[in-house]
Amino acid sequence: MIEFNLDVALVIQLLVSTVLPLLVGLVTKTVTRPGVKAVLLATFSLLTSLLVELGAAVTAGTTYDIGQGLLLALPTFLIAVGLHYGLWKPVGAAEKAQELFAPSTVTVHENASPKPEPLIDLD
């Protein structure tokens, strides 16, 4: 007999870990140091792992297993880092997430010639 069961909490955890790098991009600026972003990603991974495990315990009516939540934080962090460098960064989604709330900037390009050319030739 073969059985296929998926724990809803683990599926939610996997889905959350795929969007964590984008969430870090939303709450940081493009000039934020990579070390700060890594600490934020690790913190988000830990918090979501603990909260997902808490939700699973409350839903099932069982005792909250903090060890399970702490253990799930590591693969969540590793999946998030892998997806950041393997998917979100190469396609530009990480940068777009960071630019989403950034103030727009105006770039002024100078003309190469010192004298502007007339629109109508009068000669």
Side-chain angles (χ1 to χ4, degrees), residues 20-21 24-25 27-44 77 81 84-85 89 94-95 98:
L20 276 178
V24 169
V27 298
T28 59
K29 297 181 179 181
T30 54
V31 295
T32 304
R33 293 188 326 247
V36 173
K37 292 179 185 179
V39 168
L40 279 174
L41 186 59
T43 303
F44 287 159
F77 177 74
V81 169
H84 172 71
Y85 287 107
K89 192 173 181 177
E95 289 80 18
Q98 287 181 326

mmCIF file with all atom_site columns, all heavy atoms in Angstrom, residues 20-21 24-25 27-44 77 81 84-85 89 94-95 98:
data_model
loop_
_atom_site.group_PDB
_atom_site.id
_atom_site.type_symbol
_atom_site.label_atom_id
_atom_site.label_alt_id
_atom_site.label_comp_id
_atom_site.label_asym_id
_atom_site.label_entity_id
_atom_site.label_seq_id
_atom_site.pdbx_PDB_ins_code
_atom_site.Cartn_x
_atom_site.Cartn_y
_atom_site.Cartn_z
_atom_site.occupancy
_atom_site.B_iso_or_equiv
_atom_site.pdbx_formal_charge
_atom_site.auth_seq_id
_atom_site.auth_comp_id
_atom_site.auth_asym_id
_atom_site.auth_atom_id
_atom_site.pdbx_PDB_model_num
ATOM 1   N N   . LEU A 1 20 ? 10.280 34.924 0.717   1.00 0.00 ? 20 LEU A N   1
ATOM 2   C CA  . LEU A 1 20 ? 11.035 35.658 1.721   1.00 0.00 ? 20 LEU A CA  1
ATOM 3   C C   . LEU A 1 20 ? 12.097 36.588 1.129   1.00 0.00 ? 20 LEU A C   1
ATOM 4   O O   . LEU A 1 20 ? 12.238 37.717 1.600   1.00 0.00 ? 20 LEU A O   1
ATOM 5   C CB  . LEU A 1 20 ? 11.676 34.699 2.726   1.00 0.00 ? 20 LEU A CB  1
ATOM 6   C CG  . LEU A 1 20 ? 10.786 34.238 3.874   1.00 0.00 ? 20 LEU A CG  1
ATOM 7   C CD1 . LEU A 1 20 ? 11.531 33.263 4.762   1.00 0.00 ? 20 LEU A CD1 1
ATOM 8   C CD2 . LEU A 1 20 ? 10.269 35.392 4.673   1.00 0.00 ? 20 LEU A CD2 1
ATOM 9   N N   . PRO A 1 21 ? 12.859 36.175 0.115   1.00 0.00 ? 21 PRO A N   1
ATOM 10  C CA  . PRO A 1 21 ? 13.844 37.116 -0.441  1.00 0.00 ? 21 PRO A CA  1
ATOM 11  C C   . PRO A 1 21 ? 13.190 38.378 -1.014  1.00 0.00 ? 21 PRO A C   1
ATOM 12  O O   . PRO A 1 21 ? 13.750 39.464 -0.923  1.00 0.00 ? 21 PRO A O   1
ATOM 13  C CB  . PRO A 1 21 ? 14.539 36.312 -1.552  1.00 0.00 ? 21 PRO A CB  1
ATOM 14  C CG  . PRO A 1 21 ? 14.314 34.901 -1.199  1.00 0.00 ? 21 PRO A CG  1
ATOM 15  C CD  . PRO A 1 21 ? 12.992 34.852 -0.501  1.00 0.00 ? 21 PRO A CD  1
ATOM 16  N N   . VAL A 1 24 ? 12.320 40.624 1.914   1.00 0.00 ? 24 VAL A N   1
ATOM 17  C CA  . VAL A 1 24 ? 13.514 41.336 2.381   1.00 0.00 ? 24 VAL A CA  1
ATOM 18  C C   . VAL A 1 24 ? 13.820 42.491 1.432   1.00 0.00 ? 24 VAL A C   1
ATOM 19  O O   . VAL A 1 24 ? 14.184 43.586 1.863   1.00 0.00 ? 24 VAL A O   1
ATOM 20  C CB  . VAL A 1 24 ? 14.727 40.379 2.497   1.00 0.00 ? 24 VAL A CB  1
ATOM 21  C CG1 . VAL A 1 24 ? 16.015 41.147 2.727   1.00 0.00 ? 24 VAL A CG1 1
ATOM 22  C CG2 . VAL A 1 24 ? 14.504 39.396 3.634   1.00 0.00 ? 24 VAL A CG2 1
ATOM 23  N N   . GLY A 1 25 ? 13.637 42.276 0.132   1.00 0.00 ? 25 GLY A N   1
ATOM 24  C CA  . GLY A 1 25 ? 13.846 43.359 -0.827  1.00 0.00 ? 25 GLY A CA  1
ATOM 25  C C   . GLY A 1 25 ? 12.869 44.500 -0.636  1.00 0.00 ? 25 GLY A C   1
ATOM 26  O O   . GLY A 1 25 ? 13.213 45.661 -0.843  1.00 0.00 ? 25 GLY A O   1
ATOM 27  N N   . VAL A 1 27 ? 11.554 45.495 2.237   1.00 0.00 ? 27 VAL A N   1
ATOM 28  C CA  . VAL A 1 27 ? 11.791 46.251 3.465   1.00 0.00 ? 27 VAL A CA  1
ATOM 29  C C   . VAL A 1 27 ? 13.197 46.836 3.550   1.00 0.00 ? 27 VAL A C   1
ATOM 30  O O   . VAL A 1 27 ? 13.518 47.503 4.523   1.00 0.00 ? 27 VAL A O   1
ATOM 31  C CB  . VAL A 1 27 ? 11.504 45.395 4.722   1.00 0.00 ? 27 VAL A CB  1
ATOM 32  C CG1 . VAL A 1 27 ? 10.064 44.963 4.764   1.00 0.00 ? 27 VAL A CG1 1
ATOM 33  C CG2 . VAL A 1 27 ? 12.449 44.220 4.817   1.00 0.00 ? 27 VAL A CG2 1
ATOM 34  N N   . THR A 1 28 ? 14.035 46.608 2.554   1.00 0.00 ? 28 THR A N   1
ATOM 35  C CA  . THR A 1 28 ? 15.375 47.187 2.555   1.00 0.00 ? 28 THR A CA  1
ATOM 36  C C   . THR A 1 28 ? 15.537 48.085 1.339   1.00 0.00 ? 28 THR A C   1
ATOM 37  O O   . THR A 1 28 ? 14.752 48.034 0.400   1.00 0.00 ? 28 THR A O   1
ATOM 38  C CB  . THR A 1 28 ? 16.467 46.102 2.519   1.00 0.00 ? 28 THR A CB  1
ATOM 39  O OG1 . THR A 1 28 ? 16.304 45.307 1.347   1.00 0.00 ? 28 THR A OG1 1
ATOM 40  C CG2 . THR A 1 28 ? 16.416 45.234 3.749   1.00 0.00 ? 28 THR A CG2 1
ATOM 41  N N   . LYS A 1 29 ? 16.584 48.870 1.372   1.00 0.00 ? 29 LYS A N   1
ATOM 42  C CA  . LYS A 1 29 ? 16.895 49.757 0.249   1.00 0.00 ? 29 LYS A CA  1
ATOM 43  C C   . LYS A 1 29 ? 17.986 49.122 -0.588  1.00 0.00 ? 29 LYS A C   1
ATOM 44  O O   . LYS A 1 29 ? 18.655 48.186 -0.170  1.00 0.00 ? 29 LYS A O   1
ATOM 45  C CB  . LYS A 1 29 ? 17.360 51.117 0.764   1.00 0.00 ? 29 LYS A CB  1
ATOM 46  C CG  . LYS A 1 29 ? 16.295 51.846 1.540   1.00 0.00 ? 29 LYS A CG  1
ATOM 47  C CD  . LYS A 1 29 ? 16.791 53.188 1.993   1.00 0.00 ? 29 LYS A CD  1
ATOM 48  C CE  . LYS A 1 29 ? 15.682 53.895 2.759   1.00 0.00 ? 29 LYS A CE  1
ATOM 49  N NZ  . LYS A 1 29 ? 16.066 55.200 3.219   1.00 0.00 ? 29 LYS A NZ  1
ATOM 50  N N   . THR A 1 30 ? 18.183 49.657 -1.774  1.00 0.00 ? 30 THR A N   1
ATOM 51  C CA  . THR A 1 30 ? 19.217 49.107 -2.657  1.00 0.00 ? 30 THR A CA  1
ATOM 52  C C   . THR A 1 30 ? 20.607 49.335 -2.095  1.00 0.00 ? 30 THR A C   1
ATOM 53  O O   . THR A 1 30 ? 21.538 48.625 -2.461  1.00 0.00 ? 30 THR A O   1
ATOM 54  C CB  . THR A 1 30 ? 19.118 49.742 -4.059  1.00 0.00 ? 30 THR A CB  1
ATOM 55  O OG1 . THR A 1 30 ? 19.151 51.165 -3.935  1.00 0.00 ? 30 THR A OG1 1
ATOM 56  C CG2 . THR A 1 30 ? 17.846 49.320 -4.751  1.00 0.00 ? 30 THR A CG2 1
ATOM 57  N N   . VAL A 1 31 ? 20.773 50.303 -1.201  1.00 0.00 ? 31 VAL A N   1
ATOM 58  C CA  . VAL A 1 31 ? 22.086 50.579 -0.636  1.00 0.00 ? 31 VAL A CA  1
ATOM 59  C C   . VAL A 1 31 ? 22.347 49.812 0.663   1.00 0.00 ? 31 VAL A C   1
ATOM 60  O O   . VAL A 1 31 ? 23.410 49.952 1.248   1.00 0.00 ? 31 VAL A O   1
ATOM 61  C CB  . VAL A 1 31 ? 22.261 52.095 -0.388  1.00 0.00 ? 31 VAL A CB  1
ATOM 62  C CG1 . VAL A 1 31 ? 22.258 52.856 -1.686  1.00 0.00 ? 31 VAL A CG1 1
ATOM 63  C CG2 . VAL A 1 31 ? 21.205 52.618 0.548   1.00 0.00 ? 31 VAL A CG2 1
ATOM 64  N N   . THR A 1 32 ? 21.396 49.013 1.104   1.00 0.00 ? 32 THR A N   1
ATOM 65  C CA  . THR A 1 32 ? 21.570 48.240 2.329   1.00 0.00 ? 32 THR A CA  1
ATOM 66  C C   . THR A 1 32 ? 22.649 47.179 2.115   1.00 0.00 ? 32 THR A C   1
ATOM 67  O O   . THR A 1 32 ? 22.681 46.511 1.086   1.00 0.00 ? 32 THR A O   1
ATOM 68  C CB  . THR A 1 32 ? 20.246 47.559 2.728   1.00 0.00 ? 32 THR A CB  1
ATOM 69  O OG1 . THR A 1 32 ? 19.233 48.562 2.838   1.00 0.00 ? 32 THR A OG1 1
ATOM 70  C CG2 . THR A 1 32 ? 20.372 46.839 4.048   1.00 0.00 ? 32 THR A CG2 1
ATOM 71  N N   . ARG A 1 33 ? 23.528 47.042 3.099   1.00 0.00 ? 33 ARG A N   1
ATOM 72  C CA  . ARG A 1 33 ? 24.619 46.076 2.991   1.00 0.00 ? 33 ARG A CA  1
ATOM 73  C C   . ARG A 1 33 ? 24.078 44.651 2.923   1.00 0.00 ? 33 ARG A C   1
ATOM 74  O O   . ARG A 1 33 ? 23.066 44.324 3.551   1.00 0.00 ? 33 ARG A O   1
ATOM 75  C CB  . ARG A 1 33 ? 25.563 46.217 4.175   1.00 0.00 ? 33 ARG A CB  1
ATOM 76  C CG  . ARG A 1 33 ? 26.319 47.520 4.189   1.00 0.00 ? 33 ARG A CG  1
ATOM 77  C CD  . ARG A 1 33 ? 27.396 47.542 5.270   1.00 0.00 ? 33 ARG A CD  1
ATOM 78  N NE  . ARG A 1 33 ? 27.044 46.802 6.464   1.00 0.00 ? 33 ARG A NE  1
ATOM 79  C CZ  . ARG A 1 33 ? 26.825 47.353 7.652   1.00 0.00 ? 33 ARG A CZ  1
ATOM 80  N NH1 . ARG A 1 33 ? 26.908 48.632 7.799   1.00 0.00 ? 33 ARG A NH1 1
ATOM 81  N NH2 . ARG A 1 33 ? 26.523 46.596 8.695   1.00 0.00 ? 33 ARG A NH2 1
ATOM 82  N N   . PRO A 1 34 ? 24.748 43.767 2.175   1.00 0.00 ? 34 PRO A N   1
ATOM 83  C CA  . PRO A 1 34 ? 24.299 42.372 2.069   1.00 0.00 ? 34 PRO A CA  1
ATOM 84  C C   . PRO A 1 34 ? 24.232 41.652 3.408   1.00 0.00 ? 34 PRO A C   1
ATOM 85  O O   . PRO A 1 34 ? 23.382 40.798 3.616   1.00 0.00 ? 34 PRO A O   1
ATOM 86  C CB  . PRO A 1 34 ? 25.336 41.725 1.151   1.00 0.00 ? 34 PRO A CB  1
ATOM 87  C CG  . PRO A 1 34 ? 25.907 42.855 0.363   1.00 0.00 ? 34 PRO A CG  1
ATOM 88  C CD  . PRO A 1 34 ? 25.867 44.048 1.270   1.00 0.00 ? 34 PRO A CD  1
ATOM 89  N N   . GLY A 1 35 ? 25.113 41.992 4.340   1.00 0.00 ? 35 GLY A N   1
ATOM 90  C CA  . GLY A 1 35 ? 25.092 41.358 5.658   1.00 0.00 ? 35 GLY A CA  1
ATOM 91  C C   . GLY A 1 35 ? 23.801 41.656 6.408   1.00 0.00 ? 35 GLY A C   1
ATOM 92  O O   . GLY A 1 35 ? 23.253 40.792 7.088   1.00 0.00 ? 35 GLY A O   1
ATOM 93  N N   . VAL A 1 36 ? 23.320 42.898 6.289   1.00 0.00 ? 36 VAL A N   1
ATOM 94  C CA  . VAL A 1 36 ? 22.065 43.281 6.940   1.00 0.00 ? 36 VAL A CA  1
ATOM 95  C C   . VAL A 1 36 ? 20.904 42.515 6.315   1.00 0.00 ? 36 VAL A C   1
ATOM 96  O O   . VAL A 1 36 ? 20.006 42.032 7.014   1.00 0.00 ? 36 VAL A O   1
ATOM 97  C CB  . VAL A 1 36 ? 21.849 44.805 6.828   1.00 0.00 ? 36 VAL A CB  1
ATOM 98  C CG1 . VAL A 1 36 ? 20.479 45.208 7.343   1.00 0.00 ? 36 VAL A CG1 1
ATOM 99  C CG2 . VAL A 1 36 ? 22.946 45.551 7.569   1.00 0.00 ? 36 VAL A CG2 1
ATOM 100 N N   . LYS A 1 37 ? 20.932 42.377 4.998   1.00 0.00 ? 37 LYS A N   1
ATOM 101 C CA  . LYS A 1 37 ? 19.881 41.631 4.307   1.00 0.00 ? 37 LYS A CA  1
ATOM 102 C C   . LYS A 1 37 ? 19.894 40.162 4.723   1.00 0.00 ? 37 LYS A C   1
ATOM 103 O O   . LYS A 1 37 ? 18.837 39.547 4.892   1.00 0.00 ? 37 LYS A O   1
ATOM 104 C CB  . LYS A 1 37 ? 20.049 41.751 2.797   1.00 0.00 ? 37 LYS A CB  1
ATOM 105 C CG  . LYS A 1 37 ? 19.795 43.143 2.282   1.00 0.00 ? 37 LYS A CG  1
ATOM 106 C CD  . LYS A 1 37 ? 20.004 43.205 0.795   1.00 0.00 ? 37 LYS A CD  1
ATOM 107 C CE  . LYS A 1 37 ? 19.879 44.614 0.289   1.00 0.00 ? 37 LYS A CE  1
ATOM 108 N NZ  . LYS A 1 37 ? 20.087 44.717 -1.142  1.00 0.00 ? 37 LYS A NZ  1
ATOM 109 N N   . ALA A 1 38 ? 21.080 39.591 4.904   1.00 0.00 ? 38 ALA A N   1
ATOM 110 C CA  . ALA A 1 38 ? 21.183 38.188 5.320   1.00 0.00 ? 38 ALA A CA  1
ATOM 111 C C   . ALA A 1 38 ? 20.629 37.996 6.726   1.00 0.00 ? 38 ALA A C   1
ATOM 112 O O   . ALA A 1 38 ? 19.935 37.008 6.992   1.00 0.00 ? 38 ALA A O   1
ATOM 113 C CB  . ALA A 1 38 ? 22.639 37.732 5.257   1.00 0.00 ? 38 ALA A CB  1
ATOM 114 N N   . VAL A 1 39 ? 20.902 38.933 7.626   1.00 0.00 ? 39 VAL A N   1
ATOM 115 C CA  . VAL A 1 39 ? 20.375 38.842 8.988   1.00 0.00 ? 39 VAL A CA  1
ATOM 116 C C   . VAL A 1 39 ? 18.853 38.967 8.966   1.00 0.00 ? 39 VAL A C   1
ATOM 117 O O   . VAL A 1 39 ? 18.148 38.233 9.666   1.00 0.00 ? 39 VAL A O   1
ATOM 118 C CB  . VAL A 1 39 ? 21.020 39.914 9.891   1.00 0.00 ? 39 VAL A CB  1
ATOM 119 C CG1 . VAL A 1 39 ? 20.297 40.032 11.222  1.00 0.00 ? 39 VAL A CG1 1
ATOM 120 C CG2 . VAL A 1 39 ? 22.488 39.606 10.117  1.00 0.00 ? 39 VAL A CG2 1
ATOM 121 N N   . LEU A 1 40 ? 18.325 39.881 8.155   1.00 0.00 ? 40 LEU A N   1
ATOM 122 C CA  . LEU A 1 40 ? 16.873 40.013 8.032   1.00 0.00 ? 40 LEU A CA  1
ATOM 123 C C   . LEU A 1 40 ? 16.245 38.742 7.483   1.00 0.00 ? 40 LEU A C   1
ATOM 124 O O   . LEU A 1 40 ? 15.199 38.299 7.966   1.00 0.00 ? 40 LEU A O   1
ATOM 125 C CB  . LEU A 1 40 ? 16.520 41.194 7.122   1.00 0.00 ? 40 LEU A CB  1
ATOM 126 C CG  . LEU A 1 40 ? 16.554 42.567 7.761   1.00 0.00 ? 40 LEU A CG  1
ATOM 127 C CD1 . LEU A 1 40 ? 16.340 43.644 6.712   1.00 0.00 ? 40 LEU A CD1 1
ATOM 128 C CD2 . LEU A 1 40 ? 15.514 42.679 8.844   1.00 0.00 ? 40 LEU A CD2 1
ATOM 129 N N   . LEU A 1 41 ? 16.881 38.158 6.479   1.00 0.00 ? 41 LEU A N   1
ATOM 130 C CA  . LEU A 1 41 ? 16.358 36.921 5.900   1.00 0.00 ? 41 LEU A CA  1
ATOM 131 C C   . LEU A 1 41 ? 16.373 35.790 6.922   1.00 0.00 ? 41 LEU A C   1
ATOM 132 O O   . LEU A 1 41 ? 15.413 35.024 7.027   1.00 0.00 ? 41 LEU A O   1
ATOM 133 C CB  . LEU A 1 41 ? 17.162 36.544 4.659   1.00 0.00 ? 41 LEU A CB  1
ATOM 134 C CG  . LEU A 1 41 ? 16.651 35.360 3.858   1.00 0.00 ? 41 LEU A CG  1
ATOM 135 C CD1 . LEU A 1 41 ? 15.230 35.601 3.377   1.00 0.00 ? 41 LEU A CD1 1
ATOM 136 C CD2 . LEU A 1 41 ? 17.567 35.092 2.672   1.00 0.00 ? 41 LEU A CD2 1
ATOM 137 N N   . ALA A 1 42 ? 17.442 35.694 7.697   1.00 0.00 ? 42 ALA A N   1
ATOM 138 C CA  . ALA A 1 42 ? 17.511 34.666 8.744   1.00 0.00 ? 42 ALA A CA  1
ATOM 139 C C   . ALA A 1 42 ? 16.446 34.907 9.812   1.00 0.00 ? 42 ALA A C   1
ATOM 140 O O   . ALA A 1 42 ? 15.796 33.961 10.283  1.00 0.00 ? 42 ALA A O   1
ATOM 141 C CB  . ALA A 1 42 ? 18.905 34.652 9.369   1.00 0.00 ? 42 ALA A CB  1
ATOM 142 N N   . THR A 1 43 ? 16.234 36.168 10.176  1.00 0.00 ? 43 THR A N   1
ATOM 143 C CA  . THR A 1 43 ? 15.215 36.500 11.172  1.00 0.00 ? 43 THR A CA  1
ATOM 144 C C   . THR A 1 43 ? 13.819 36.163 10.666  1.00 0.00 ? 43 THR A C   1
ATOM 145 O O   . THR A 1 43 ? 13.005 35.572 11.386  1.00 0.00 ? 43 THR A O   1
ATOM 146 C CB  . THR A 1 43 ? 15.303 37.995 11.540  1.00 0.00 ? 43 THR A CB  1
ATOM 147 O OG1 . THR A 1 43 ? 16.623 38.274 12.005  1.00 0.00 ? 43 THR A OG1 1
ATOM 148 C CG2 . THR A 1 43 ? 14.297 38.358 12.603  1.00 0.00 ? 43 THR A CG2 1
ATOM 149 N N   . PHE A 1 44 ? 13.521 36.547 9.419   1.00 0.00 ? 44 PHE A N   1
ATOM 150 C CA  . PHE A 1 44 ? 12.226 36.219 8.831   1.00 0.00 ? 44 PHE A CA  1
ATOM 151 C C   . PHE A 1 44 ? 12.024 34.707 8.740   1.00 0.00 ? 44 PHE A C   1
ATOM 152 O O   . PHE A 1 44 ? 10.925 34.207 8.957   1.00 0.00 ? 44 PHE A O   1
ATOM 153 C CB  . PHE A 1 44 ? 12.076 36.844 7.447   1.00 0.00 ? 44 PHE A CB  1
ATOM 154 C CG  . PHE A 1 44 ? 11.861 38.336 7.458   1.00 0.00 ? 44 PHE A CG  1
ATOM 155 C CD1 . PHE A 1 44 ? 12.127 39.077 6.339   1.00 0.00 ? 44 PHE A CD1 1
ATOM 156 C CD2 . PHE A 1 44 ? 11.392 38.992 8.579   1.00 0.00 ? 44 PHE A CD2 1
ATOM 157 C CE1 . PHE A 1 44 ? 11.924 40.450 6.317   1.00 0.00 ? 44 PHE A CE1 1
ATOM 158 C CE2 . PHE A 1 44 ? 11.185 40.359 8.586   1.00 0.00 ? 44 PHE A CE2 1
ATOM 159 C CZ  . PHE A 1 44 ? 11.453 41.096 7.447   1.00 0.00 ? 44 PHE A CZ  1
ATOM 160 N N   . PHE A 1 77 ? 15.628 29.092 5.539   1.00 0.00 ? 77 PHE A N   1
ATOM 161 C CA  . PHE A 1 77 ? 16.667 30.063 5.205   1.00 0.00 ? 77 PHE A CA  1
ATOM 162 C C   . PHE A 1 77 ? 17.449 29.622 3.974   1.00 0.00 ? 77 PHE A C   1
ATOM 163 O O   . PHE A 1 77 ? 17.697 30.418 3.068   1.00 0.00 ? 77 PHE A O   1
ATOM 164 C CB  . PHE A 1 77 ? 17.603 30.254 6.399   1.00 0.00 ? 77 PHE A CB  1
ATOM 165 C CG  . PHE A 1 77 ? 18.749 31.181 6.125   1.00 0.00 ? 77 PHE A CG  1
ATOM 166 C CD1 . PHE A 1 77 ? 18.546 32.545 6.034   1.00 0.00 ? 77 PHE A CD1 1
ATOM 167 C CD2 . PHE A 1 77 ? 20.030 30.683 5.957   1.00 0.00 ? 77 PHE A CD2 1
ATOM 168 C CE1 . PHE A 1 77 ? 19.603 33.404 5.781   1.00 0.00 ? 77 PHE A CE1 1
ATOM 169 C CE2 . PHE A 1 77 ? 21.095 31.530 5.703   1.00 0.00 ? 77 PHE A CE2 1
ATOM 170 C CZ  . PHE A 1 77 ? 20.890 32.902 5.616   1.00 0.00 ? 77 PHE A CZ  1
ATOM 171 N N   . VAL A 1 81 ? 17.660 31.632 0.418   1.00 0.00 ? 81 VAL A N   1
ATOM 172 C CA  . VAL A 1 81 ? 18.932 32.096 -0.149  1.00 0.00 ? 81 VAL A CA  1
ATOM 173 C C   . VAL A 1 81 ? 19.149 31.493 -1.535  1.00 0.00 ? 81 VAL A C   1
ATOM 174 O O   . VAL A 1 81 ? 19.545 32.181 -2.472  1.00 0.00 ? 81 VAL A O   1
ATOM 175 C CB  . VAL A 1 81 ? 20.108 31.750 0.793   1.00 0.00 ? 81 VAL A CB  1
ATOM 176 C CG1 . VAL A 1 81 ? 21.439 31.980 0.109   1.00 0.00 ? 81 VAL A CG1 1
ATOM 177 C CG2 . VAL A 1 81 ? 20.019 32.580 2.063   1.00 0.00 ? 81 VAL A CG2 1
ATOM 178 N N   . HIS A 1 84 ? 16.911 33.189 -3.962  1.00 0.00 ? 84 HIS A N   1
ATOM 179 C CA  . HIS A 1 84 ? 17.357 34.558 -4.233  1.00 0.00 ? 84 HIS A CA  1
ATOM 180 C C   . HIS A 1 84 ? 18.450 34.576 -5.295  1.00 0.00 ? 84 HIS A C   1
ATOM 181 O O   . HIS A 1 84 ? 18.360 35.295 -6.276  1.00 0.00 ? 84 HIS A O   1
ATOM 182 C CB  . HIS A 1 84 ? 17.858 35.222 -2.954  1.00 0.00 ? 84 HIS A CB  1
ATOM 183 C CG  . HIS A 1 84 ? 18.496 36.555 -3.193  1.00 0.00 ? 84 HIS A CG  1
ATOM 184 N ND1 . HIS A 1 84 ? 17.773 37.659 -3.546  1.00 0.00 ? 84 HIS A ND1 1
ATOM 185 C CD2 . HIS A 1 84 ? 19.790 36.947 -3.155  1.00 0.00 ? 84 HIS A CD2 1
ATOM 186 C CE1 . HIS A 1 84 ? 18.589 38.686 -3.707  1.00 0.00 ? 84 HIS A CE1 1
ATOM 187 N NE2 . HIS A 1 84 ? 19.820 38.272 -3.471  1.00 0.00 ? 84 HIS A NE2 1
ATOM 188 N N   . TYR A 1 85 ? 19.488 33.768 -5.089  1.00 0.00 ? 85 TYR A N   1
ATOM 189 C CA  . TYR A 1 85 ? 20.613 33.764 -6.024  1.00 0.00 ? 85 TYR A CA  1
ATOM 190 C C   . TYR A 1 85 ? 20.342 32.948 -7.284  1.00 0.00 ? 85 TYR A C   1
ATOM 191 O O   . TYR A 1 85 ? 20.938 33.200 -8.328  1.00 0.00 ? 85 TYR A O   1
ATOM 192 C CB  . TYR A 1 85 ? 21.886 33.262 -5.335  1.00 0.00 ? 85 TYR A CB  1
ATOM 193 C CG  . TYR A 1 85 ? 22.433 34.283 -4.377  1.00 0.00 ? 85 TYR A CG  1
ATOM 194 C CD1 . TYR A 1 85 ? 22.335 34.114 -3.010  1.00 0.00 ? 85 TYR A CD1 1
ATOM 195 C CD2 . TYR A 1 85 ? 23.033 35.443 -4.851  1.00 0.00 ? 85 TYR A CD2 1
ATOM 196 C CE1 . TYR A 1 85 ? 22.825 35.056 -2.126  1.00 0.00 ? 85 TYR A CE1 1
ATOM 197 C CE2 . TYR A 1 85 ? 23.527 36.395 -3.981  1.00 0.00 ? 85 TYR A CE2 1
ATOM 198 C CZ  . TYR A 1 85 ? 23.416 36.195 -2.627  1.00 0.00 ? 85 TYR A CZ  1
ATOM 199 O OH  . TYR A 1 85 ? 23.900 37.147 -1.751  1.00 0.00 ? 85 TYR A OH  1
ATOM 200 N N   . LYS A 1 89 ? 17.296 36.975 -8.193  1.00 0.00 ? 89 LYS A N   1
ATOM 201 C CA  . LYS A 1 89 ? 18.340 37.923 -8.593  1.00 0.00 ? 89 LYS A CA  1
ATOM 202 C C   . LYS A 1 89 ? 18.627 37.872 -10.094 1.00 0.00 ? 89 LYS A C   1
ATOM 203 O O   . LYS A 1 89 ? 18.688 38.923 -10.730 1.00 0.00 ? 89 LYS A O   1
ATOM 204 C CB  . LYS A 1 89 ? 19.614 37.680 -7.779  1.00 0.00 ? 89 LYS A CB  1
ATOM 205 C CG  . LYS A 1 89 ? 20.629 38.780 -7.932  1.00 0.00 ? 89 LYS A CG  1
ATOM 206 C CD  . LYS A 1 89 ? 21.779 38.590 -6.981  1.00 0.00 ? 89 LYS A CD  1
ATOM 207 C CE  . LYS A 1 89 ? 22.764 39.730 -7.143  1.00 0.00 ? 89 LYS A CE  1
ATOM 208 N NZ  . LYS A 1 89 ? 23.863 39.618 -6.194  1.00 0.00 ? 89 LYS A NZ  1
ATOM 209 N N   . ALA A 1 94 ? 14.511 40.737 -7.527  1.00 0.00 ? 94 ALA A N   1
ATOM 210 C CA  . ALA A 1 94 ? 15.000 41.266 -6.250  1.00 0.00 ? 94 ALA A CA  1
ATOM 211 C C   . ALA A 1 94 ? 15.210 42.773 -6.339  1.00 0.00 ? 94 ALA A C   1
ATOM 212 O O   . ALA A 1 94 ? 14.831 43.519 -5.433  1.00 0.00 ? 94 ALA A O   1
ATOM 213 C CB  . ALA A 1 94 ? 16.303 40.566 -5.856  1.00 0.00 ? 94 ALA A CB  1
ATOM 214 N N   . GLU A 1 95 ? 15.798 43.239 -7.434  1.00 0.00 ? 95 GLU A N   1
ATOM 215 C CA  . GLU A 1 95 ? 16.026 44.667 -7.605  1.00 0.00 ? 95 GLU A CA  1
ATOM 216 C C   . GLU A 1 95 ? 14.713 45.420 -7.776  1.00 0.00 ? 95 GLU A C   1
ATOM 217 O O   . GLU A 1 95 ? 14.535 46.518 -7.258  1.00 0.00 ? 95 GLU A O   1
ATOM 218 C CB  . GLU A 1 95 ? 16.938 44.934 -8.811  1.00 0.00 ? 95 GLU A CB  1
ATOM 219 C CG  . GLU A 1 95 ? 18.378 44.521 -8.582  1.00 0.00 ? 95 GLU A CG  1
ATOM 220 C CD  . GLU A 1 95 ? 18.603 43.028 -8.767  1.00 0.00 ? 95 GLU A CD  1
ATOM 221 O OE1 . GLU A 1 95 ? 17.750 42.353 -9.392  1.00 0.00 ? 95 GLU A OE1 1
ATOM 222 O OE2 . GLU A 1 95 ? 19.611 42.526 -8.255  1.00 0.00 ? 95 GLU A OE2 1
ATOM 223 N N   . GLN A 1 98 ? 13.143 46.000 -4.477  1.00 0.00 ? 98 GLN A N   1
ATOM 224 C CA  . GLN A 1 98 ? 13.785 47.071 -3.731  1.00 0.00 ? 98 GLN A CA  1
ATOM 225 C C   . GLN A 1 98 ? 13.429 48.442 -4.291  1.00 0.00 ? 98 GLN A C   1
ATOM 226 O O   . GLN A 1 98 ? 13.345 49.415 -3.563  1.00 0.00 ? 98 GLN A O   1
ATOM 227 C CB  . GLN A 1 98 ? 15.298 46.892 -3.737  1.00 0.00 ? 98 GLN A CB  1
ATOM 228 C CG  . GLN A 1 98 ? 15.742 45.770 -2.851  1.00 0.00 ? 98 GLN A CG  1
ATOM 229 C CD  . GLN A 1 98 ? 17.231 45.600 -2.832  1.00 0.00 ? 98 GLN A CD  1
ATOM 230 O OE1 . GLN A 1 98 ? 17.901 45.822 -3.830  1.00 0.00 ? 98 GLN A OE1 1
ATOM 231 N NE2 . GLN A 1 98 ? 17.755 45.199 -1.693  1.00 0.00 ? 98 GLN A NE2 1
#
